[in-house]
Amino acid sequence: MKFPYILLPVMMSVGSFAQSTFITPKNVEKHITFLASDELKGRGTGTKDEQKAAQYIANFFNELGLQPKGTNGFEQVFKANIDTVHVLDARNVVGYLDNGADRTIVIGAHYDHLGEGYQRGSLDVNAKGKIHNGADDNASGVAGVLELARYYAKNSLKEAHNFLFICFSAEELGLLGSKYYANNPTIDLAKVNFMLNFDMIGRFDPTKPITVGGWGTSPTWGQDIPPVMEREKMAFKIDSSGAGASDHTSFYTKRIPVLFFFTGVHSDYHRPSDDIALINFAGEAQILNAVANIVNELDKLPNRLEYRETAMPMAQNASFKVTMGLLLDYSFNGPGIKVDGVSKGRPAENAGIKGGDLILRLGKYNLNTIYDYMGALGKYEKGQTVEAEVQRSNEKLTLKVTF
């Protein structure tokens, strides 16, 4: 996971045990123990150690009998930019369960982490040379994808949906793997009913609610999820936004309803101390069994889910007095900042800025990187109006932004 975000406190009842058991703590532990071992050295994007993780995932998909849905077997290789100079070969790992259905459910998580502290993102003050195992972030999420793949591939049932199981690389560099897949899909995204994303589900505390994100992206969530969570005796709170700090964002921007499960930020986040000994394997299995029951209920619905646009989170600009309401393309390497989407009723939309635009200048500040943009925001006050120079296809526009 890349950044914290804002939560809306809506809670259901608390309990200790799931009502249905499909997924065992032992299997969850097996995956996390391998993926977060020192042998894989933190699964840094594009490293040989991350490739070992990719091979583990591909082998598991193959053993389950899933169809390869990468561009080279189970792998979909793409270029990941660390900065304007350094480019790495990264790979998504994609398996498909074909039930001959008209609709597909995507279940995903990112398997990369921060390696040995040389790639950006560590919160350790002396990060270089230290293995960041990322047991919670996000070996826990990958274990969730693998165990749900096992369940749906081996349950002797034929659901009313197909399933695409995908583990993304380069999430920590800005959701690059999921964005690449969403722009270069190996199945028809028009047939995707919804996308479910796991990021940091390994620190379950049964006395506290888990977070279910993407709540506002479909009215179905509010109708069908609460009864299941009540039966599973699992408390939860919601984050309404479809856009956020993890890979579901890349599918939400394609107008696909999303769900995101998350057990919370902790003091080991993006530090070498995010290790295997701190994972609650039984708690994660409980979450996954609840999710399987949710998916099974959703699988029974006769019609496609309704997609709804949501407000975008403000957390990335939380330290500033102003915000524009932009969802940015973190894979774009300037000049300018590239807009993936805008939030309704916020300064960017009111100024006429649209998804796909490049913002080259904000007031007197030229924008060559996202950091230039963040720095410029810090200079302005609420109510102030500035000019934004925008490149839209072959046209250059000057738009007035009022904060």
Side-chain angles (χ1 to χ4, degrees):
M1 173 171 285
K2 195 163 175 55
F3 308 106
Y5 52 90
I6 294 172
L7 307 178
L8 300 180
V10 175
M11 300 175 61
M12 301 296 292
S13 63
V14 178
S16 299
F17 300 98
Q19 297 300 303
S20 301
T21 303
F22 309 125
I23 294 166
T24 67
K26 182 178 179 180
N27 285 335
V28 171
E29 182 176 3
K30 178 181 178 182
H31 297 308
I32 295 176
T33 298
F34 176 76
L35 292 168
S37 65
D38 284 352
E39 178 187 345
L40 267 63
K41 298 180 182 178
R43 309 183 307 280
T45 298
T47 63
K48 291 181 180 179
D49 307 297
E50 190 200 43
Q51 290 179 29
K52 292 178 184 177
Q55 191 60 55
Y56 176 89
I57 296 164
N59 288 345
F60 190 79
F61 284 168
N62 186 57
E63 290 171 6
L64 295 179
L66 300 183
Q67 294 181 12
K69 277 293 179 179
T71 50
N72 181 20
F74 288 101
E75 294 186 351
Q76 181 191 44
V77 179
F78 64 96
K79 299 294 184 182
N81 293 67
I82 294 182
D83 49 40
T84 56
V85 177
H86 300 92
V87 181
L88 301 172
D89 284 328
R91 63 208 70 234
N92 297 322
V93 188
V94 193
Y96 186 62
L97 178 61
D98 187 356
N99 285 325
D102 294 330
R103 298 171 293 171
T104 297
I105 296 168
V106 176
I107 300 178
H110 76 92
Y111 72 98
D112 66 298
H113 195 51
L114 306 181
E116 295 180 272
Y118 294 100
Q119 297 179 0
R120 64 178 181 259
S122 178
L123 296 178
D124 188 280
V125 293
N126 297 302
K128 292 183 178 180
K130 297 180 181 178
I131 297 175
H132 292 62
N133 280 322
D136 190 25
D137 187 10
N138 187 31
S140 67
V142 176
V145 173
L146 299 184
E147 284 307 298
L148 284 174
R150 185 205 300 270
Y151 167 65
Y152 285 107
K154 298 298 183 181
N155 65 1
S156 300
L157 300 174
K158 192 172 185 179
E159 288 80 16
H161 288 78
N162 311 309
F163 289 87
L164 186 79
F165 301 98
I166 179 165
C167 294
F168 305 106
S169 180
E171 189 268 1
E172 300 290 8
L173 298 180
L175 317 185
L176 303 189
S178 58
K179 183 177 179 62
Y180 184 83
Y181 186 85
N183 288 333
N184 302 274
T186 58
I187 65 168
D188 184 359
L189 290 187
K191 294 184 178 180
V192 173
N193 202 7
F194 64 91
M195 188 271 182
L196 188 157
N197 180 36
F198 296 118
D199 198 344
M200 298 175 63
I201 57 169
R203 298 288 193 97
F204 180 58
D205 180 344
T207 68
K208 298 178 181 179
I210 68 167
T211 298
V212 181
W215 195 263
T217 63
S218 178
T220 301
W221 305 148
Q223 298 164 8
D224 287 65
I225 293 177
V228 176
M229 297 297 268
E230 185 71 25
R231 291 198 302 271
E232 296 297 314
K233 302 187 183 301
M234 181 169 288
F236 71 100
K237 57 186 176 181
I238 66 170
D239 172 12
S240 287
S241 180
S246 192
D247 292 308
H248 56 287
T249 302
S250 300
F251 291 81
Y252 166 73
T253 58
K254 299 298 183 182
R255 301 186 65 79
I256 294 170
V258 296
L259 279 177
F260 170 50
F261 290 84
F262 173 56
T263 54
V265 173
H266 43 72
S267 60
D268 305 297
Y269 170 75
H270 276 206
R271 291 180 171 87
S273 53
D274 179 8
D275 225 330
I276 300 165
L278 300 173
I279 298 298
N280 180 354
F281 302 110
E284 176 165 341
Q286 182 180 345
I287 292 169
L288 295 174
N289 285 313
V291 170
N293 278 308
I294 289 170
V295 173
N296 291 341
E297 290 299 317
L298 296 170
D299 183 63
K300 299 174 185 177
L301 300 178
N303 300 315
R304 289 183 60 86
L305 273 59
E306 178 186 346
Y307 166 88
R308 287 185 178 175
E309 188 174 345
T310 70
M312 292 183 186
M314 297 175 60
Q316 62 184 350
N317 299 330
S319 61
F320 303 127
K321 297 178 182 178
V322 300
T323 180
M324 289 182 67
L326 295 176
L327 179 63
L328 299 178
D329 179 354
Y330 290 95
S331 66
F332 183 74
N333 284 302
I337 59 168
K338 189 173 183 180
V339 179
D340 258 355
V342 296
S343 187
K344 286 185 175 180
R346 302 284 290 282
E349 188 196 49
N350 294 340
I353 293 172
K354 300 179 179 180
D357 285 350
L358 293 180
I359 305 177
L360 305 175
R361 179 176 55 83
L362 190 61
K364 64 181 181 180
Y365 302 101
N366 292 324
L367 306 184
N368 291 310
T369 69
I370 287 174
Y371 301 103
D372 294 335
Y373 166 68
M374 303 293 273
L377 279 185
K379 305 295 184 181
Y380 297 119
E381 304 282 343
K382 288 185 178 180
Q384 193 170 353
T385 298
V386 300
E387 288 186 346
E389 184 179 323
V390 173
Q391 184 76 41
R392 182 176 297 162
S393 298
N394 296 322
E395 185 180 11
K396 190 167 286 187
L397 307 171
T398 299
L399 303 174
K400 290 187 177 182
V401 179
T402 300
F403 296 109

